[in-house]
Amino acid sequence: MPPFVPVLVVVDFQEDFCPPHGSLAVTNGRDIAPTINNLMTLPFTLRIATQDWHPKDHISFASTHPPPNNKPFESKVTVANPKNESETEEISLWPDHCIQNTKGAELIPEFDVSKIDHIIKKGQNNKVEMLSAFKDTYRKPCVADSGLSNMLKEVNATHVYIVGLAMDFCVKWTAIDSAKEGWHTFIVTEGTKGVDQSEEGLKKLTQELEEHGVKIVSTDSDEVGWIKKGGKT
């Protein structure tokens, strides 16, 4: 039997991403808690939760930028790698969210964190956007590395299962980076919700993920069944 070392990554299951009061609430975001809690009872080698943990002047906050180009959900700005100004990217601006040591940054109480082995706080550098749980979006060089990759390598992980919020943002980029690092990567569909929940949006997202080697699976899929059986048979 080939090696099978599964790891669960729960992405940003926080108050600011959930109704009713989250500043960036994903529709029905809280509803995935039972699925995630059930998944955590399976024999994963490692269970990791991530937590957006922004300083109050984070570069992705519309409030950090001067008007008129500082409208949440609408405005975009071009920013430069603080270690290499020739590398630039366009980022969207958001309402203030998941500010360190605030209620909005807390993991939601419905989420059973008692089964989590490690909590990774991401997005702490105020000068860089960090959607992926692995690292920021810059590559020449990378500015902020969360340490997640090293955690997975330390346990010789082979398969990474990802849930949390939001499917079309931080979950997506975490999954893409996981696949790029060489792990078999799956998003468990009942354990995530996207900002765009339309049929067309999901179809487009699924295609993008598949192009990067990420597979979307359900809780009753063979891929989740492997965890229960201890590997492929």
Side-chain angles (χ1 to χ4, degrees):
M1 182 183 297
F4 181 74
V5 182
V7 171
L8 178 68
V9 179
V10 183
V11 176
D12 299 355
F13 204 11
Q14 294 167 262
E15 287 289 352
D16 265 343
F17 297 127
C18 291
H21 304 301
S23 63
L24 265 177
V26 176
T27 303
N28 298 321
R30 300 186 101 88
D31 296 354
I32 62 177
T35 294
I36 292 175
N37 290 337
N38 285 337
L39 285 170
M40 289 196 298
T41 66
L42 300 180
F44 286 98
T45 300
L46 195 63
R47 300 168 188 83
I48 296 169
T50 74
Q51 195 171 10
D52 244 6
W53 198 249
H54 294 315
K56 60 184 179 181
D57 60 345
H58 193 259
I59 199 165
S60 72
F61 294 172
S63 62
T64 301
H65 300 268
N69 190 31
N70 66 343
K71 295 181 176 63
F73 304 110
E74 297 179 21
S75 298
K76 294 185 178 184
V77 297
T78 299
V79 295
N81 185 332
K83 294 185 177 182
N84 173 15
E85 290 188 358
S86 68
E87 184 182 15
T88 61
E89 65 172 349
E90 186 179 65
I91 64 170
S92 298
L93 298 184
W94 309 107
D96 292 7
H97 63 277
C98 299
I99 295 174
Q100 297 168 6
N101 300 308
T102 64
K103 178 71 175 176
E106 293 178 4
L107 297 169
I108 71 166
E110 296 92 330
F111 174 32
D112 184 8
V113 296
S114 68
K115 294 183 174 67
I116 291 293
D117 300 300
H118 296 284
I119 296 176
I120 290 176
K121 290 179 166 60
K122 67 183 184 70
Q124 299 186 66
N125 187 318
N126 70 330
K127 291 180 169 54
V128 296
E129 176 67 291
M130 190 170 180
L131 298 176
S132 169
F134 286 89
K135 51 195 172 186
D136 66 83
T137 50
Y138 293 120
R139 295 295 179 263
K140 300 176 183 179
C142 171
V143 178
D145 187 317
S146 71
L148 176 56
S149 180
N150 285 338
M151 284 185 185
L152 301 187
K153 290 172 182 174
E154 285 172 0
V155 299
N156 297 313
T158 58
H159 294 66
V160 179
Y161 294 77
I162 302 172
V163 293
L165 299 171
M167 185 181 187
D168 41 357
F169 285 92
C170 293
V171 169
K172 177 183 82 170
W173 290 111
T174 298
I176 288 172
D177 275 353
S178 172
K180 283 181 178 178
E181 294 256 7
W183 289 293
H184 299 286
T185 303
F186 310 97
I187 294 175
V188 183
T189 185
E190 297 93 339
T192 186
K193 295 283 185 184
V195 174
D196 182 355
Q197 298 183 10
S198 67
E199 184 176 340
E200 183 61 32
L202 181 58
K203 181 180 178 180
K204 182 178 178 181
L205 177 61
T206 300
Q207 181 178 351
E208 180 182 3
L209 289 165
E210 288 178 347
E211 288 172 355
H212 284 90
V214 178
K215 187 174 182 180
I216 297 177
V217 300
S218 65
T219 52
D220 60 359
S221 65
D222 289 342
E223 290 83 357
V224 173
W226 298 339
I227 308 163
K228 303 171 186 177
K229 295 184 293 186
K232 297 183 183 181
T233 56

PDB file of all heavy atoms in Angstrom, residues 123-149:
ATOM      1  N   GLY A 123      -1.407  36.625   7.728  1.00  0.00           N
ATOM      2  CA  GLY A 123      -1.771  37.986   7.384  1.00  0.00           C
ATOM      3  C   GLY A 123      -1.330  39.015   8.400  1.00  0.00           C
ATOM      4  O   GLY A 123      -1.938  40.082   8.524  1.00  0.00           O
ATOM      5  N   GLN A 124      -0.248  38.724   9.132  1.00  0.00           N
ATOM      6  CA  GLN A 124       0.187  39.632  10.189  1.00  0.00           C
ATOM      7  C   GLN A 124       1.059  40.780   9.676  1.00  0.00           C
ATOM      8  O   GLN A 124       1.201  41.807  10.363  1.00  0.00           O
ATOM      9  CB  GLN A 124       0.959  38.853  11.255  1.00  0.00           C
ATOM     10  CG  GLN A 124       0.120  37.768  11.930  1.00  0.00           C
ATOM     11  CD  GLN A 124       0.844  37.106  13.078  1.00  0.00           C
ATOM     12  OE1 GLN A 124       1.134  37.734  14.089  1.00  0.00           O
ATOM     13  NE2 GLN A 124       1.163  35.825  12.920  1.00  0.00           N
ATOM     14  N   ASN A 125       1.640  40.613   8.501  1.00  0.00           N
ATOM     15  CA  ASN A 125       2.457  41.679   7.913  1.00  0.00           C
ATOM     16  C   ASN A 125       1.527  42.704   7.262  1.00  0.00           C
ATOM     17  O   ASN A 125       0.769  42.374   6.348  1.00  0.00           O
ATOM     18  CB  ASN A 125       3.418  41.093   6.883  1.00  0.00           C
ATOM     19  CG  ASN A 125       4.416  42.103   6.356  1.00  0.00           C
ATOM     20  OD1 ASN A 125       4.080  43.250   6.083  1.00  0.00           O
ATOM     21  ND2 ASN A 125       5.663  41.676   6.192  1.00  0.00           N
ATOM     22  N   ASN A 126       1.573  43.943   7.714  1.00  0.00           N
ATOM     23  CA  ASN A 126       0.624  44.938   7.224  1.00  0.00           C
ATOM     24  C   ASN A 126       0.863  45.357   5.781  1.00  0.00           C
ATOM     25  O   ASN A 126       0.006  45.989   5.166  1.00  0.00           O
ATOM     26  CB  ASN A 126       0.632  46.182   8.124  1.00  0.00           C
ATOM     27  CG  ASN A 126       1.920  46.990   8.008  1.00  0.00           C
ATOM     28  OD1 ASN A 126       2.983  46.435   7.729  1.00  0.00           O
ATOM     29  ND2 ASN A 126       1.827  48.287   8.244  1.00  0.00           N
ATOM     30  N   LYS A 127       1.993  44.970   5.215  1.00  0.00           N
ATOM     31  CA  LYS A 127       2.349  45.425   3.868  1.00  0.00           C
ATOM     32  C   LYS A 127       2.052  44.417   2.766  1.00  0.00           C
ATOM     33  O   LYS A 127       2.270  44.706   1.588  1.00  0.00           O
ATOM     34  CB  LYS A 127       3.835  45.805   3.827  1.00  0.00           C
ATOM     35  CG  LYS A 127       4.167  47.063   4.616  1.00  0.00           C
ATOM     36  CD  LYS A 127       5.648  47.378   4.534  1.00  0.00           C
ATOM     37  CE  LYS A 127       5.961  48.771   5.084  1.00  0.00           C
ATOM     38  NZ  LYS A 127       5.469  48.981   6.438  1.00  0.00           N
ATOM     39  N   VAL A 128       1.566  43.226   3.116  1.00  0.00           N
ATOM     40  CA  VAL A 128       1.331  42.213   2.083  1.00  0.00           C
ATOM     41  C   VAL A 128      -0.022  41.528   2.261  1.00  0.00           C
ATOM     42  O   VAL A 128      -0.484  41.300   3.374  1.00  0.00           O
ATOM     43  CB  VAL A 128       2.446  41.133   2.062  1.00  0.00           C
ATOM     44  CG1 VAL A 128       3.776  41.750   1.693  1.00  0.00           C
ATOM     45  CG2 VAL A 128       2.545  40.407   3.388  1.00  0.00           C
ATOM     46  N   GLU A 129      -0.639  41.225   1.119  1.00  0.00           N
ATOM     47  CA  GLU A 129      -1.867  40.435   1.110  1.00  0.00           C
ATOM     48  C   GLU A 129      -1.488  38.972   1.268  1.00  0.00           C
ATOM     49  O   GLU A 129      -0.483  38.514   0.716  1.00  0.00           O
ATOM     50  CB  GLU A 129      -2.623  40.661  -0.203  1.00  0.00           C
ATOM     51  CG  GLU A 129      -3.876  39.818  -0.371  1.00  0.00           C
ATOM     52  CD  GLU A 129      -4.975  40.174   0.605  1.00  0.00           C
ATOM     53  OE1 GLU A 129      -4.791  39.905   1.810  1.00  0.00           O
ATOM     54  OE2 GLU A 129      -6.026  40.688   0.165  1.00  0.00           O
ATOM     55  N   MET A 130      -2.283  38.227   2.029  1.00  0.00           N
ATOM     56  CA  MET A 130      -1.972  36.810   2.257  1.00  0.00           C
ATOM     57  C   MET A 130      -3.267  36.013   2.255  1.00  0.00           C
ATOM     58  O   MET A 130      -3.898  35.820   3.279  1.00  0.00           O
ATOM     59  CB  MET A 130      -1.220  36.621   3.573  1.00  0.00           C
ATOM     60  CG  MET A 130      -0.647  35.221   3.757  1.00  0.00           C
ATOM     61  SD  MET A 130       0.467  35.170   5.195  1.00  0.00           S
ATOM     62  CE  MET A 130       0.969  33.447   5.140  1.00  0.00           C
ATOM     63  N   LEU A 131      -3.662  35.555   1.076  1.00  0.00           N
ATOM     64  CA  LEU A 131      -4.863  34.747   0.951  1.00  0.00           C
ATOM     65  C   LEU A 131      -4.581  33.290   1.288  1.00  0.00           C
ATOM     66  O   LEU A 131      -5.349  32.640   1.990  1.00  0.00           O
ATOM     67  CB  LEU A 131      -5.432  34.875  -0.460  1.00  0.00           C
ATOM     68  CG  LEU A 131      -5.864  36.285  -0.875  1.00  0.00           C
ATOM     69  CD1 LEU A 131      -6.314  36.300  -2.329  1.00  0.00           C
ATOM     70  CD2 LEU A 131      -6.968  36.807   0.024  1.00  0.00           C
ATOM     71  N   SER A 132      -3.490  32.764   0.793  1.00  0.00           N
ATOM     72  CA  SER A 132      -3.113  31.374   1.062  1.00  0.00           C
ATOM     73  C   SER A 132      -2.647  31.212   2.499  1.00  0.00           C
ATOM     74  O   SER A 132      -2.010  32.101   3.073  1.00  0.00           O
ATOM     75  CB  SER A 132      -1.991  30.950   0.118  1.00  0.00           C
ATOM     76  OG  SER A 132      -1.431  29.713   0.520  1.00  0.00           O
ATOM     77  N   ALA A 133      -2.944  30.057   3.073  1.00  0.00           N
ATOM     78  CA  ALA A 133      -2.459  29.752   4.427  1.00  0.00           C
ATOM     79  C   ALA A 133      -0.966  29.440   4.432  1.00  0.00           C
ATOM     80  O   ALA A 133      -0.357  29.368   5.495  1.00  0.00           O
ATOM     81  CB  ALA A 133      -3.230  28.567   5.001  1.00  0.00           C
ATOM     82  N   PHE A 134      -0.372  29.269   3.252  1.00  0.00           N
ATOM     83  CA  PHE A 134       1.050  28.946   3.173  1.00  0.00           C
ATOM     84  C   PHE A 134       1.936  30.193   3.183  1.00  0.00           C
ATOM     85  O   PHE A 134       2.892  30.269   3.950  1.00  0.00           O
ATOM     86  CB  PHE A 134       1.340  28.136   1.909  1.00  0.00           C
ATOM     87  CG  PHE A 134       0.875  26.714   1.978  1.00  0.00           C
ATOM     88  CD1 PHE A 134      -0.408  26.371   1.573  1.00  0.00           C
ATOM     89  CD2 PHE A 134       1.723  25.715   2.450  1.00  0.00           C
ATOM     90  CE1 PHE A 134      -0.845  25.049   1.635  1.00  0.00           C
ATOM     91  CE2 PHE A 134       1.300  24.395   2.512  1.00  0.00           C
ATOM     92  CZ  PHE A 134       0.006  24.059   2.107  1.00  0.00           C
ATOM     93  N   LYS A 135       1.613  31.154   2.318  1.00  0.00           N
ATOM     94  CA  LYS A 135       2.497  32.306   2.168  1.00  0.00           C
ATOM     95  C   LYS A 135       1.762  33.421   1.438  1.00  0.00           C
ATOM     96  O   LYS A 135       0.664  33.217   0.905  1.00  0.00           O
ATOM     97  CB  LYS A 135       3.760  31.918   1.397  1.00  0.00           C
ATOM     98  CG  LYS A 135       3.493  31.193   0.085  1.00  0.00           C
ATOM     99  CD  LYS A 135       4.759  30.514  -0.433  1.00  0.00           C
ATOM    100  CE  LYS A 135       4.442  29.645  -1.638  1.00  0.00           C
ATOM    101  NZ  LYS A 135       5.616  28.877  -2.075  1.00  0.00           N
ATOM    102  N   ASP A 136       2.415  34.603   1.397  1.00  0.00           N
ATOM    103  CA  ASP A 136       1.810  35.731   0.701  1.00  0.00           C
ATOM    104  C   ASP A 136       1.860  35.516  -0.804  1.00  0.00           C
ATOM    105  O   ASP A 136       2.390  34.513  -1.291  1.00  0.00           O
ATOM    106  CB  ASP A 136       2.519  37.027   1.100  1.00  0.00           C
ATOM    107  CG  ASP A 136       3.961  37.063   0.620  1.00  0.00           C
ATOM    108  OD1 ASP A 136       4.182  37.416  -0.549  1.00  0.00           O
ATOM    109  OD2 ASP A 136       4.866  36.721   1.409  1.00  0.00           O
ATOM    110  N   THR A 137       1.336  36.494  -1.525  1.00  0.00           N
ATOM    111  CA  THR A 137       1.211  36.332  -2.969  1.00  0.00           C
ATOM    112  C   THR A 137       2.475  36.700  -3.739  1.00  0.00           C
ATOM    113  O   THR A 137       2.550  36.458  -4.945  1.00  0.00           O
ATOM    114  CB  THR A 137       0.041  37.193  -3.496  1.00  0.00           C
ATOM    115  OG1 THR A 137       0.176  38.526  -2.996  1.00  0.00           O
ATOM    116  CG2 THR A 137      -1.282  36.636  -3.023  1.00  0.00           C
ATOM    117  N   TYR A 138       3.460  37.287  -3.080  1.00  0.00           N
ATOM    118  CA  TYR A 138       4.712  37.632  -3.767  1.00  0.00           C
ATOM    119  C   TYR A 138       5.620  36.409  -3.872  1.00  0.00           C
ATOM    120  O   TYR A 138       5.591  35.517  -3.016  1.00  0.00           O
ATOM    121  CB  TYR A 138       5.446  38.743  -3.024  1.00  0.00           C
ATOM    122  CG  TYR A 138       4.732  40.070  -3.047  1.00  0.00           C
ATOM    123  CD1 TYR A 138       4.327  40.685  -1.866  1.00  0.00           C
ATOM    124  CD2 TYR A 138       4.461  40.718  -4.244  1.00  0.00           C
ATOM    125  CE1 TYR A 138       3.674  41.915  -1.885  1.00  0.00           C
ATOM    126  CE2 TYR A 138       3.804  41.939  -4.277  1.00  0.00           C
ATOM    127  CZ  TYR A 138       3.411  42.526  -3.088  1.00  0.00           C
ATOM    128  OH  TYR A 138       2.766  43.734  -3.108  1.00  0.00           O
ATOM    129  N   ARG A 139       6.457  36.410  -4.915  1.00  0.00           N
ATOM    130  CA  ARG A 139       7.348  35.275  -5.142  1.00  0.00           C
ATOM    131  C   ARG A 139       8.799  35.692  -5.357  1.00  0.00           C
ATOM    132  O   ARG A 139       9.683  34.849  -5.377  1.00  0.00           O
ATOM    133  CB  ARG A 139       6.863  34.477  -6.361  1.00  0.00           C
ATOM    134  CG  ARG A 139       5.503  33.811  -6.152  1.00  0.00           C
ATOM    135  CD  ARG A 139       5.562  32.741  -5.074  1.00  0.00           C
ATOM    136  NE  ARG A 139       4.281  32.104  -4.845  1.00  0.00           N
ATOM    137  CZ  ARG A 139       3.437  32.433  -3.878  1.00  0.00           C
ATOM    138  NH1 ARG A 139       3.754  33.432  -3.052  1.00  0.00           N
ATOM    139  NH2 ARG A 139       2.302  31.798  -3.719  1.00  0.00           N
ATOM    140  N   LYS A 140       9.066  36.993  -5.517  1.00  0.00           N
ATOM    141  CA  LYS A 140      10.420  37.445  -5.881  1.00  0.00           C
ATOM    142  C   LYS A 140      10.926  38.527  -4.932  1.00  0.00           C
ATOM    143  O   LYS A 140      11.180  39.651  -5.364  1.00  0.00           O
ATOM    144  CB  LYS A 140      10.415  37.970  -7.320  1.00  0.00           C
ATOM    145  CG  LYS A 140       9.992  36.951  -8.357  1.00  0.00           C
ATOM    146  CD  LYS A 140       9.922  37.610  -9.739  1.00  0.00           C
ATOM    147  CE  LYS A 140       9.432  36.636 -10.798  1.00  0.00           C
ATOM    148  NZ  LYS A 140       9.333  37.285 -12.133  1.00  0.00           N
ATOM    149  N   PRO A 141      11.126  38.274  -3.641  1.00  0.00           N
ATOM    150  CA  PRO A 141      10.915  36.989  -2.968  1.00  0.00           C
ATOM    151  C   PRO A 141       9.580  36.962  -2.226  1.00  0.00           C
ATOM    152  O   PRO A 141       8.885  37.973  -2.134  1.00  0.00           O
ATOM    153  CB  PRO A 141      12.065  36.990  -1.950  1.00  0.00           C
ATOM    154  CG  PRO A 141      12.133  38.441  -1.525  1.00  0.00           C
ATOM    155  CD  PRO A 141      11.839  39.235  -2.784  1.00  0.00           C
ATOM    156  N   CYS A 142       9.255  35.801  -1.671  1.00  0.00           N
ATOM    157  CA  CYS A 142       8.141  35.687  -0.726  1.00  0.00           C
ATOM    158  C   CYS A 142       8.479  36.528   0.508  1.00  0.00           C
ATOM    159  O   CYS A 142       9.627  36.557   0.960  1.00  0.00           O
ATOM    160  CB  CYS A 142       7.952  34.221  -0.349  1.00  0.00           C
ATOM    161  SG  CYS A 142       6.787  33.941   0.995  1.00  0.00           S
ATOM    162  N   VAL A 143       7.496  37.215   1.055  1.00  0.00           N
ATOM    163  CA  VAL A 143       7.718  38.085   2.206  1.00  0.00           C
ATOM    164  C   VAL A 143       7.284  37.415   3.515  1.00  0.00           C
ATOM    165  O   VAL A 143       7.964  37.519   4.533  1.00  0.00           O
ATOM    166  CB  VAL A 143       6.966  39.421   2.029  1.00  0.00           C
ATOM    167  CG1 VAL A 143       7.146  40.320   3.254  1.00  0.00           C
ATOM    168  CG2 VAL A 143       7.445  40.135   0.769  1.00  0.00           C
ATOM    169  N   ALA A 144       6.145  36.729   3.490  1.00  0.00           N
ATOM    170  CA  ALA A 144       5.598  36.133   4.710  1.00  0.00           C
ATOM    171  C   ALA A 144       5.283  34.660   4.492  1.00  0.00           C
ATOM    172  O   ALA A 144       4.465  34.309   3.645  1.00  0.00           O
ATOM    173  CB  ALA A 144       4.333  36.874   5.141  1.00  0.00           C
ATOM    174  N   ASP A 145       5.949  33.796   5.233  1.00  0.00           N
ATOM    175  CA  ASP A 145       5.732  32.349   5.179  1.00  0.00           C
ATOM    176  C   ASP A 145       5.155  31.918   6.527  1.00  0.00           C
ATOM    177  O   ASP A 145       5.735  32.206   7.582  1.00  0.00           O
ATOM    178  CB  ASP A 145       7.051  31.628   4.907  1.00  0.00           C
ATOM    179  CG  ASP A 145       6.887  30.135   4.678  1.00  0.00           C
ATOM    180  OD1 ASP A 145       6.119  29.504   5.427  1.00  0.00           O
ATOM    181  OD2 ASP A 145       7.525  29.594   3.771  1.00  0.00           O
ATOM    182  N   SER A 146       4.019  31.246   6.505  1.00  0.00           N
ATOM    183  CA  SER A 146       3.327  30.895   7.753  1.00  0.00           C
ATOM    184  C   SER A 146       3.959  29.731   8.506  1.00  0.00           C
ATOM    185  O   SER A 146       3.660  29.517   9.675  1.00  0.00           O
ATOM    186  CB  SER A 146       1.869  30.543   7.453  1.00  0.00           C
ATOM    187  OG  SER A 146       1.797  29.287   6.783  1.00  0.00           O
ATOM    188  N   GLY A 147       4.771  28.935   7.808  1.00  0.00           N
ATOM    189  CA  GLY A 147       5.317  27.727   8.426  1.00  0.00           C
ATOM    190  C   GLY A 147       4.479  26.487   8.182  1.00  0.00           C
ATOM    191  O   GLY A 147       4.862  25.385   8.596  1.00  0.00           O
ATOM    192  N   LEU A 148       3.351  26.643   7.498  1.00  0.00           N
ATOM    193  CA  LEU A 148       2.474  25.490   7.246  1.00  0.00           C
ATOM    194  C   LEU A 148       3.185  24.415   6.436  1.00  0.00           C
ATOM    195  O   LEU A 148       3.065  23.221   6.733  1.00  0.00           O
ATOM    196  CB  LEU A 148       1.207  25.957   6.523  1.00  0.00           C
ATOM    197  CG  LEU A 148       0.219  24.866   6.095  1.00  0.00           C
ATOM    198  CD1 LEU A 148      -0.219  24.011   7.273  1.00  0.00           C
ATOM    199  CD2 LEU A 148      -0.997  25.502   5.403  1.00  0.00           C
ATOM    200  N   SER A 149       3.922  24.810   5.425  1.00  0.00           N
ATOM    201  CA  SER A 149       4.617  23.833   4.592  1.00  0.00           C
ATOM    202  C   SER A 149       5.554  22.973   5.428  1.00  0.00           C
ATOM    203  O   SER A 149       5.579  21.742   5.293  1.00  0.00           O
ATOM    204  CB  SER A 149       5.395  24.539   3.486  1.00  0.00           C
ATOM    205  OG  SER A 149       6.072  23.612   2.665  1.00  0.00           O
TER     206      SER A 149
END
